Amino acid sequence: MSTHSSRRSFLRHAAAGFSTLAVPRFAQAQAAAEPPPRRLQVEHAVAEPASVEVNARPIPHFEPRDRSRTRFGSLDYRSGLVLTSPFRGFGGLSGLRFLDGKGERFLAISDQGGWFTGAIRYSGREMTGLADVEAAPVLGADGRPITEKKLWYDTESLARDGNLGYVGLERVNQILRYDFAKGGTRARGEPIVVPPGLRKLPYNKGLEAMVAVPKGKDQNMPLAGALIAFSERGLDADGNLLAFLIGGPAPGQFSVRRTENYDVSDAVLLPSGELLILERKFSWFTGVNIRIRSIPLKLIAPGAVVDGPALFVADLGHEIDNMEAIDAHVTSEGETVLTLISDDNFSMLQRTLLLQFTLAE
């Protein structure tokens, strides 16, 4: 979601594998031979593939008021980075998916129609920076940047299923499907059929998070093959958050119980079948708050209202910003690591934060 300027003042702190996702050099030459682009509709759109310099500053303590504290709810703080770049299109990051099992190679998306690929570098368990970062415009079915179309820029959600990727456009409540085996981030997006209820979600409060349930080897995974789409603040008759099952064994609509005025910003499915939902809220009294809730995937079904406990809660007394993306990986030691990233809204008053936590057993 693009926050309003009044809100920003509170945020001063406030492939055949996926190797194809690194933007191929020949694609840059190919792009140069294409017809001149039409005017892009947003200021920070990525116009063409480019290498991106990203600088990183460490965040040694998640709670500056108590530097000895590392446990926050069910999470242990590992490390964090403040990311900056001279590249005009870097920022607004709203979706993140790892491309390997190590928590290194990543695919991210900005909410102004830009892809970002690269690798997180580590020293031991601590992140030290990003390397090999490349940017590229998100393309539509016609091979043109989607930001050439009116309102087709608010790319808020990203799901990955093998070489397939799904991008959710909030302002128009549509989903584009990408086959990354066909050109990596130069692949063209094809619209998929979505439920009528999804198309009716409110303007700028619509499609905000997506998770693809893999078919894979685990035949016991509930809802295998489904795409789960969550609204930011589309509400049912009882004031709960609307969500949708697209494809899979039981397509339909369900709801996530809304409590304490939190809205959905992203979600991730753990190998255990546990669905974690990243949420946030804002008020003039408390500023920005974030929360992570856990919901067993087996509870989700058409017509259901699902709920689950909060594993983690943080506010502006912690090192947070407008946290909009979450993903997970499992280390060689068997630890489940959660990675969160923030959307700075391309504002000088906000920051792009990359945070990692270990999920405590």
Side-chain angles (χ1 to χ4, degrees), residues 40 42 44-48 89 91-92 94 108-116 135-140 144-148 152-156 167-169 178 185 346:
L40 302 180
V42 285
H44 296 278
V46 177
E48 59 186 5
S94 298
I109 196 167
S110 80
D111 60 9
Q112 293 201 3
W115 294 117
F116 290 90
V138 177
L139 303 182
R144 308 296 301 175
I146 62 171
T147 47
E148 292 180 353
W152 276 57
Y153 63 87
D154 205 0
T155 41
E156 290 283 353
V167 172
L169 286 76
Y178 290 84
T185 54
F346 299 97

Side-chain angles (χ1 to χ4, degrees), residues 125-238:
R125 59 184 271 148
E126 295 187 0
M127 299 182 293
T128 59
L130 303 187
D132 305 323
V133 179
E134 303 264 0
V138 177
L139 303 182
D142 58 359
R144 308 296 301 175
I146 62 171
T147 47
E148 292 180 353
K149 294 185 178 182
K150 185 177 181 180
L151 301 181
W152 276 57
Y153 63 87
D154 205 0
T155 41
E156 290 283 353
S157 50
L158 175 63
R160 176 201 162 198
D161 183 10
N163 274 336
L164 297 179
Y166 297 88
V167 172
L169 286 76
E170 185 181 21
R171 305 276 171 146
V172 293
N173 292 314
Q174 293 199 37
I175 299 173
L176 300 177
R177 176 182 178 272
Y178 290 84
D179 184 349
F180 292 121
K182 299 178 179 179
T185 54
R186 299 300 289 165
R188 300 183 178 194
E190 298 289 343
I192 69 170
V193 177
V194 299
L198 190 150
R199 295 298 303 273
K200 296 178 182 179
L201 290 173
Y203 179 81
N204 204 28
K205 298 292 183 183
L207 185 56
E208 186 75 16
M210 292 192 298
V211 169
V213 184
K215 295 179 181 178
K217 298 179 181 179
D218 187 356
Q219 300 301 319
N220 296 319
M221 179 70 78
L223 305 176
L227 184 64
I228 309 177
F230 299 87
S231 70
E232 180 182 10
R233 201 190 299 169
L235 305 179
D236 66 13
D238 297 316

